[in-house]
Amino acid sequence: MFEIIKSGGWLMLPIVFSSVIALAITVERYWTLRVAKVRPKEQLPQVWLWIKNQELDANKIKELKQSSLFGFVLAAGLTTSRHGREAMKDAIQEAGDHVAHEMEKFLNTLGTIAAISPLLGLLGTVLGMVDVFSDIMLQGTGNTAVLAGGISKALITTAAGLSVAIPAVIFHRALARKIDELLVLMEQDSAKLVEAIYNDGSSNKK
């Protein structure tokens, strides 16, 4: 493997570095965006139980805010619930935008890696082909072994760039889809809480 990287030239260094960054981002995002961590299933029933039992106070809201991203959204809504339905919805929307930003962290970097890796590979191939034609000018076309070796060396960077870009594109789209699904679920659950509070006439319970 090291020999292949070495034979690809200096442009293999940014390609390999990009692959390490892409792998780190993918692992970190999948670990961070686990459903059990972002939107625990028991959180909404627990909040509603607190409200029904009139146990919801400032300490519980603070605990809720720090527990998960979904808890942050719910806490924002509950904090403003005494000001009316629209105020609660606006607070939830604002908190949801903040949460979406947090969930999309590093995705732009992953997308950039997916875009530039094949370009780096192509640049390496072009530079390699320039070297091949320089050899042709100096040695002629008689030494086919040198030409074949030069062309093979030039194509290594393209293969390496594509090997990084293809998984990066796949995981970027998969993560974006996962984030969209989580945001939809949080939006639906938040709407349920708003409706439950105001339909139950308990908007002043806190």
Side-chain angles (χ1 to χ4, degrees), residues 21 24-30 32-33 69 97-111 172 175-176 179:
I21 297 298
I25 290 173
T26 301
V27 172
E28 188 275 338
R29 284 292 87 189
Y30 269 107
T32 301
L33 297 176
L69 291 177
D97 292 341
H98 175 78
V99 164
H101 179 73
E102 285 295 313
M103 293 170 70
E104 291 169 356
K105 189 184 294 183
F106 306 130
L107 279 198
N108 283 340
T109 302
L110 186 60
H172 180 270
L175 285 167
I179 290 170

Side-chain angles (χ1 to χ4, degrees), residues 98-204:
H98 175 78
V99 164
H101 179 73
E102 285 295 313
M103 293 170 70
E104 291 169 356
K105 189 184 294 183
F106 306 130
L107 279 198
N108 283 340
T109 302
L110 186 60
T112 300
I113 289 173
I116 68 171
S117 294
L119 297 179
L120 288 171
L122 181 60
L123 177 60
T125 296
V126 170
L127 295 177
M129 293 304 294
V130 169
D131 291 340
V132 169
F133 282 110
S134 296
D135 290 337
I136 290 176
M137 291 177 62
L138 294 174
Q139 303 181 28
T141 58
N143 193 341
T144 57
V146 172
L147 296 181
I151 293 172
S152 175
K153 176 181 176 180
L155 293 174
I156 286 174
T157 52
T158 293
L162 291 174
S163 297
V164 174
I166 292 171
V169 169
I170 292 172
F171 285 118
H172 180 270
R173 295 196 175 190
L175 285 167
R177 175 69 176 175
K178 184 179 182 65
I179 290 170
D180 287 342
E181 290 175 350
L182 287 169
L183 288 173
V184 168
L185 289 173
M186 285 192 282
E187 182 179 354
Q188 291 174 345
D189 286 349
S190 299
K192 288 178 184 177
L193 180 63
V194 172
E195 294 304 315
I197 287 176
Y198 287 96
N199 289 342
D200 190 64
S202 54
S203 59
N204 292 321

Side-chain angles (χ1 to χ4, degrees), residues 26-43:
T26 301
V27 172
E28 188 275 338
R29 284 292 87 189
Y30 269 107
W31 177 257
T32 301
L33 297 176
R34 289 170 295 151
V35 175
K37 182 176 180 180
V38 175
R39 177 185 162 269
K41 292 182 178 179
E42 71 280 358
Q43 202 153 48

